[in-house]
Amino acid sequence: MFWNFPDSGASHWHRDGELPLLTAATVAFDYPENAGHLQIQPYTHEGALDEDSESLKEPKPERGESSAVPVVLRRGETVLFLYSAKHAATPNFADVERCLLYSVYGPVGTRDDVNIKESRPSLSHYTKSDAELLLMLADNLA
């Protein structure tokens, strides 16, 4: 899970990496428009038109690059984008914490070592009883 807390700072544009992975980000709740949603710069994934856009810099439409697209998701919605696509969270000016359930999919044996650290909990380490407990907790949130 990724959190964006109230009064978070400026956007941090980046790419997660060059691996052939598909990123999925899902929200469990409806959040206000100013709660720090994602923004993605289209055509910046590996092999695309704007792949040369500087990874850690804001998009430069005045230089012919594609503009950032805000991704405001509602409860249960998911956005899919390539791991190599340039993206950032917007600052969170709301009074609520915004959480994304973040998953990455790819070829067997490929790992997201950029965002998922061995020292952090991972769904792949949960037992069946852990999963049942999480499901029960999720039902109580709904």
Side-chain angles (χ1 to χ4, degrees), residues 9-131:
S11 301
H12 167 71
W13 282 95
H14 66 282
R15 290 179 169 91
D16 290 329
E18 297 176 6
L19 296 172
L21 299 173
L22 180 67
T23 301
T26 305
V27 294
F29 301 99
D30 287 330
Y31 295 105
E33 297 279 330
N34 62 346
H37 293 275
L38 280 176
Q39 52 187 341
I40 298 174
Q41 184 182 6
Y43 312 112
T44 56
H45 57 280
E46 191 169 324
L49 179 68
D50 284 339
E51 106 176 282
D52 293 334
S53 177
E54 293 182 69
S55 292
L56 302 177
K57 306 252 176 156
E58 287 188 33
K60 306 277 189 246
E62 67 278 4
R63 293 187 187 163
E65 292 182 3
S66 53
S67 298
V69 175
V71 182
V72 178
L73 301 173
R74 296 290 164 229
R75 181 180 177 181
E77 293 180 337
T78 300
V79 63
L80 301 173
F81 58 96
L82 293 173
Y83 193 72
S84 60
K86 195 166 124 177
H87 59 283
T90 58
N92 184 348
F93 297 118
D95 291 332
V96 298
E97 300 171 355
R98 192 265 302 140
C99 177
L100 287 176
L101 176 60
Y102 172 89
S103 336
V104 176
Y105 302 91
V108 173
T110 306
R111 286 190 44 90
D112 175 9
D113 291 327
V114 172
N115 296 299
I116 310 301
K117 307 293 184 205
E118 283 297 321
S119 61
R120 295 183 186 154
S122 170
L123 290 176
S124 65
H125 299 294
Y126 286 133
T127 64
K128 182 178 178 181
S129 60
D130 291 334

